[in-house]
Structure formats: C-alpha cells, structure tokens
C-alpha cells in the first residue's frame, strides 16, 4: 500500500525543465509542454549575507505560464547525513506553495559535509553510502523533507562513477529501500540508470527490477556524452535510443506515473537548438501515449541486505572522505573495502575519483563563467585557456566550492585581487560584474572606475573581442538596483 507521501494519482503529462534560456521556447511551443519542472535554485540569488532572495522577475514570468509546475530541487539532496539547509528548505517550501504544486522531488545524493562549526558544499552531488546505515540516514532526510514541503514527494536515483564496493547494496535495492522506509515516491531518471550501466554498475533492467514500480511517479530523460571510458550524465542533447526503447517498454508498468520530463542544460541549448528540443518532446509524447491501463504490481518480498563490515560503517565518514577526494584534497585516513578505517588507498585508487574531480572543476568553472562572464572573457583573451585553467586550479585548491554563481564569483574576485596579472581592465570589470550581482540581490549601489570609456570596454567584451587599451583619463559608472 502506498503511503500518503507517495500517492500521486493525477497524471500531468510531458514536461520540460525550466531555465531562463528556454523561456521563449516555453512560450512558442506551449502546445508541447503539459507541465514545467522548476528547480527553485534557478530562481534564487545569493544575498551576500549567508541567505538567499528569490528573483521575483523570473518567478512572476513562470507564474504567468499556464502549465502546472512540479518542483525539483538540486540544492538540498537527501542522501547524506548533513541536515538540510533550513534557509533553502524554507524557500523551497514557499515556492511549492507559490506555484500551487502538488509534487516535489530531490536527489538521493549528498552535497554538504561537516566542516568546523558548519558545512561545506562538496562541489558536486556525490553518491551516498549504499548500506543499511546509509538507508537509515537517507530515509530520515527524505521523510523530513516530505513533511516540510507537505505535498507528494519523490527521490531521484543518482549517478555513481565509482566501482561497486563489496559492502554495498545494488543501486536498485538502495533506492527501493530508501523509498519504502521513507514512504515516498520515486523519480526514475532513466539516463542516470543508463550511465550507471555504461559505467559498469549494473544494467538498467536489473536496476528497475529491484524497484517498487507503483512508487514511480515521474521519469527523467536526457542525453549524455563520453569522457574517456566513462559515460557522463551531461544533459547535453538527445536521449540515447537505448534509453528511449527501454522507456517505451517500461511506461505501461507504472500505474502512478504522472510526468515524463526532458532535461537539457542551458549550456547546450544554443547547439542543440529549438528543433532538437522539439524532437525530444515529441518522443516524450510518444512515450506518454504508450502508457496503458495496468494493475498495480504485486508487493514483492525483498531480501534483507546486511553489510559485511565487522562494525557498522559510518555514512558521515564516507561522505567526508569522498568529498575530500572529489575536491582533490589530502586524506588523513581512508575507508577500506570492508568499511573500516585503513590506509590502503582503496577509495582514492578508484578511477571514478578522477571523473568526480573533473566534474567538480567543470561545475565550478561553469559558475565562474556565469557569475563573471565578461571577466572570464577578458582573462581568456589575454592569457589563453591553458593559463586560465591553471588560475582556476590554484583557486579551487585554496577555496571551498560554493553552490551559487554569485558566491563563487565573490570568492574568485577576492582571489584575483591578490594576483599580479597583466590583464588590462581586469579589476574594473570584475568589480562591475560583482556590483551588478549585489545590486540585483540586495539593492546595493557602487561606483566603478574604468581606465577608459566603460561602454567601449564592456561592449567589446560582450562581442568577444579585446577591449581598447587603458587611457590616462578614467571614467566612472554608477551601478544601482533597477527601480520598480
């Protein structure tokens, strides 16, 4: 029997994950979009004081879009032992209420670890410890989030680039155990399951066979790309035909399926294009049409899974060590194959750690490119990509990652101020972009001095060309919040 937290009887249809770059597509092709999936974090601005404010302009635009909204968090995953960030949880709950949503979801991963008196962001969502103790930790977090949002709640299966460990449950067993213990629904990301299959963790078929299919309320579909011998869940384009074919066979076995959602990261929209998104949404509609009336799958007996460690391994220790490795920092000690503290390098020797380090670095570089767009172009134009990557690497090694672009940009701006780089206009351009962010988030104003014509400097960078050289005469620009 499904509990109240997992029961989602009302079908919604085919959805698309919202990003601002897709706004015009949402308007022009509303005929293809039955539901919009919103990640609240795309609507938040870091206020520079340890809190967040909602981008009211974007919120109003989305509210005006007629399709119903479902909420999919990316900032408070429920797979780890660190408690949810209460400020973000309050904002998440407020957005659920604002849109009148009746379905919310989060990732079965972790993204924060204890550090001193607080918590640090890991730089990327990381896989939890898939043991009985890990189930307890994740189920507790999922129950708490479901209670706070007070609507039907689902957990999304994640991607792991690590090798299977001998003290682990299988991926499907772990997701099933957390969903059943927490009494929540499942957001079945088939591309995540496909990536895990490609990376040697088990087949999509065996993963899905372990799930209580009556709990699946949403499907995610996306595309990926190769990275050496690995397949990355990059959300970069068309779903693989294998994923589409598997989904077509599966959808008729999901009696409580409400949404089939296509995901595309905004970075890839220019290349993939509106035509590409249209093709994928058409395929999603084909899948939606392939559903048929089915009886609820019978309850199944699942075998108990017992960790083989002599003592119960600590999920928090796993999280700290994996986060440390992913951020390329030195370890004091390490968990061996049996879950005990050891010095055998078992976890650091996993080749998947290099993939996680790559993803953390790419995520952080992406935040900087978004938060300091013009300054990034200026650095590239004067120093080249290799040198800029080196500066990034040195910065990443000295500062912990941030979840939001504004905070990462502030930290990088502070870091750049201590470097002696021969890049004309760099300080002014960085200060200008940071001032824009502060004005938008908290209404601050600032006067920025440029060694030359600010319009010529900024317009050149916007066009991707080197700005004119500095002049003896400086000019000032006032940056302030836009008036209502």
């Amino acid at each position: 029997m499904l509990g109240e937290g997992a029961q989602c009887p009302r079908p919604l249809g085919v959805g698309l994950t919202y990003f601002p770059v897709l706004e015009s597509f949402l308007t022009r092709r509303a005929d293809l979009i039955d539901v919009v999936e919103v990640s609240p974090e795309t609507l938040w601005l870091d206020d520079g004081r340890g809190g967040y404010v909602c981008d009211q302009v974007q919120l109003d635009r989305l509210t005006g879009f007629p399709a119903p909204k479902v909420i999919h968090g990316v900032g408070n995953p429920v797979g780890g032992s660190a408690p949810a960030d209460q400020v973000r949880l309050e904002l998440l709950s407020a957005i659920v209420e604002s849109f009148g949503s009746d379905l919310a979801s989060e990732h079965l991963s972790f993204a924060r670890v204890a550090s001193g008196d607080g918590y640090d962001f890991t730089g990327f969502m990381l896989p939890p410890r898939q043991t009985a103790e890990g189930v307890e930790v994740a189920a507790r977090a999922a129950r708490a989030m479901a209670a706070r949002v007070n609507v039907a709640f689902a957990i999304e299966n994640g991607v792991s680039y690590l090798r299977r460990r001998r003290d682990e449950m299988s991926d499907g067993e772990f997701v099933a155990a957390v969903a059943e213990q927490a009494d929540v629904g499942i957001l079945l990301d088939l591309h995540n399951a496909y990536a895990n299959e490609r990376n040697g963790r088990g087949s999509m078929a065996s993963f899905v066979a372990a799930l209580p299919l009556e709990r699946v309320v949403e499907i995610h579909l996306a595309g990926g790309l190769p990275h050496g011998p690995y397949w990355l869940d990059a959300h970069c384009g068309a779903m693989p035909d294998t994923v589409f074919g598997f989904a077509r066979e599966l959808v008729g076995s999901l009696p409580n399926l409400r949404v089939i959602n296509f995901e595309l990261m905004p970075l890839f929209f220019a290349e993939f294009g509106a035509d590409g998104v249209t093709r994928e949404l058409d395929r999603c509609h084909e899948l939606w049409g392939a559903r048929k009336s089915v009886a609820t799958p019978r309850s199944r007996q699942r075998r108990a899974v017992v960790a083989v460690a002599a003592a119960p391994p600590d999920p928090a220790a796993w999280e700290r060590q994996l986060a440390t490795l992913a951020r390329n920092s030195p370890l004091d000690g390490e968990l061996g194959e049996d879950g005990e503290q050891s010095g055998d390098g078992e976890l650091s020797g996993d080749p998947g750690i290099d993939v996680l380090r790559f993803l953390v670095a790419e995520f952080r570089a992406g935040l900087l490119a978004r938060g300091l767009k013009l300054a990034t172009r200026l650095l590239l134009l004067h120093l080249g990509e290799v040198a800029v990557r080196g500066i990034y690497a040195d910065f990443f090694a000295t500062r912990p990652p941030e979840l939001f672009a504004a905070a990462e940009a502030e930290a990088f701006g502070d870091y750049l101020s201590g470097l002696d780089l021969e890049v004309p206009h760099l300080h002014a351009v960085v200060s200008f972009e940071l001032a824009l962010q502060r004005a938008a988030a908290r209404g601050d104003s600032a006067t920025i001095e440029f060694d030359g014509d600010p319009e010529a400097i900024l317009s050149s960078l916007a066009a991707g060309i080197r700005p004119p050289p500095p002049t003896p005469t400086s000019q000032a620009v006032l940056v302030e919040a836009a008036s209502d």
Side-chain angles (χ1 to χ4, degrees):
M1 176 70 71
L2 283 176
E4 191 173 51
Q7 186 67 45
C8 305
R10 185 169 64 94
L12 293 172
V14 170
L16 180 66
T17 300
Y18 168 80
F19 288 101
V21 72
L22 294 171
E23 188 174 311
S24 62
F25 182 87
L26 287 172
T27 302
R28 288 185 287 106
R29 295 312 312 265
D31 57 308
L32 290 174
I33 302 166
D34 303 316
V35 57
V36 177
E37 183 165 88
V38 180
S39 292
E41 292 80 0
T42 64
L43 305 177
W44 298 346
L45 301 171
D46 188 324
D47 68 2
R49 304 184 183 98
Y52 311 91
V53 295
C54 194
D55 186 332
Q56 195 61 45
V57 173
Q58 286 196 49
L59 181 63
D60 290 344
R61 287 173 179 167
L62 264 175
T63 301
F65 191 77
K69 319 297 186 300
V70 296
I71 306 303
H72 182 55
V74 297
N76 255 336
V78 295
S81 56
D85 182 295
Q86 293 302 309
V87 175
R88 293 183 221 150
L89 193 53
E90 290 296 325
L91 280 171
L92 169 66
S93 181
I95 285 179
V96 169
E97 184 175 351
S98 174
F99 285 136
S101 304
D102 62 1
L103 175 60
S105 57
E106 249 294 359
H107 295 78
L108 188 54
S109 308
F110 73 93
R112 296 203 307 161
V113 290
S115 175
D117 295 331
Y119 297 91
D120 281 345
F121 177 47
T122 62
F124 201 74
M125 282 190 284
L126 301 175
R129 189 63 178 255
Q130 293 186 180
T131 60
E133 292 74 22
V135 170
E136 292 284 343
V137 166
R140 183 165 56 247
R143 280 195 303 269
M145 187 168 289
R148 184 64 189 86
V149 298
N150 200 31
V151 296
F153 182 75
I155 54 174
E156 178 183 346
N157 58 294
V159 177
S160 178
Y161 299 101
L162 303 177
R163 296 178 298 207
R164 284 281 306 278
R165 297 165 60 89
R166 69 185 184 189
D167 66 340
E168 278 191 319
M169 298 177 178
S170 73
D171 296 344
E173 288 171 331
F174 182 72
V175 173
V178 174
E180 293 190 329
Q181 188 161 320
D183 193 18
V184 295
I186 294 173
L187 191 167
L188 175 55
D189 191 313
L190 284 176
H191 189 265
N192 286 358
Y194 173 76
N196 286 342
E197 177 180 296
R198 289 279 300 262
N199 296 331
R201 292 189 61 88
S203 69
M204 283 194 293
S206 63
F207 172 76
V208 170
L211 302 179
L213 297 183
E214 69 275 9
R215 289 187 180 271
V216 176
V217 296
E218 183 173 350
I219 286 176
H220 272 184
L221 298 164
L225 50 80
H227 176 73
Y230 288 87
W231 184 261
L232 300 184
D233 176 49
H235 298 181
C236 59
M239 70 184 93
D241 290 340
T242 300
V243 173
F244 176 75
F246 188 88
R248 204 177 195 289
E249 295 299 316
L250 176 65
V251 290
S253 302
L254 307 176
N256 292 312
L257 182 64
R258 300 188 66 195
V259 178
I260 296 176
N261 189 75
F262 178 67
E263 298 180 291
L264 181 74
M265 291 298 290
L267 172 67
F268 300 104
F269 180 66
E271 180 179 351
F272 194 55
D275 289 344
V277 177
T278 298
R279 286 192 298 271
E280 295 307 292
L281 290 176
D282 283 338
R283 297 173 86 190
C284 289
H285 278 283
E286 182 179 340
L287 294 174
W288 188 256
R291 295 175 309 128
K292 55 182 178 292
S293 298
V294 293
T296 301
R298 292 175 296 175
S299 298
R300 293 168 289 147
Q301 294 288 329
R302 257 180 280 279
R303 64 182 177 86
V305 178
V306 180
V308 299
D314 178 14
W318 163 268
E319 294 159 20
R320 287 192 301 272
Q321 294 192 7
L322 182 55
T324 299
L325 287 166
R327 294 187 306 214
N328 208 12
S329 301
L331 280 177
D332 294 329
E334 198 167 358
L335 291 180
E337 276 276 3
D338 59 0
E340 291 292 314
Q341 197 82 5
S342 70
D344 62 9
E346 188 276 328
L347 186 56
S348 59
D350 190 319
I353 293 295
D354 286 337
V355 181
L356 293 177
R357 288 172 177 166
F358 167 78
L359 292 171
V360 169
E362 287 299 298
F363 180 83
R364 298 189 72 177
L367 290 184
L368 293 177
R370 190 157 74 246
L372 292 172
K373 183 178 180 179
L374 299 181
T376 299
R377 286 183 181 174
L378 183 61
L379 286 168
L380 289 169
L381 287 167
H382 280 273
L383 303 178
E385 183 175 353
V386 173
V388 172
R389 288 281 184 180
I391 293 171
Y392 281 178
D394 291 341
F395 167 65
F396 297 160
T398 60
R399 306 289 179 95
E402 300 286 350
L403 178 60
F404 291 96
E408 193 79 69
E410 290 278 359
F412 189 55
D414 180 64
Y415 177 77
L416 287 175
S417 68
L419 301 182
D420 185 20
L421 298 176
E422 295 184 3
V423 180
H425 309 299
L426 180 61
H427 175 71
V429 172
V430 170
S431 299
F432 175 75
E433 292 192 282
L434 293 179
L436 286 176
Q437 292 175 170
R438 294 167 189 155
R442 56 182 191 256
D444 291 359
S445 61
T447 300
I448 311 301
E449 294 282 344
F450 285 83
D451 292 331
D453 179 0
E455 184 176 354
I457 294 167
L458 298 173
S459 61
S460 295
L461 289 172
I465 58 177
R466 280 196 187 195
T471 64
T473 305
S474 64
Q475 297 185 41
V477 172
L478 174 64
V479 178
E480 57 187 350
S483 57
D484 294 334

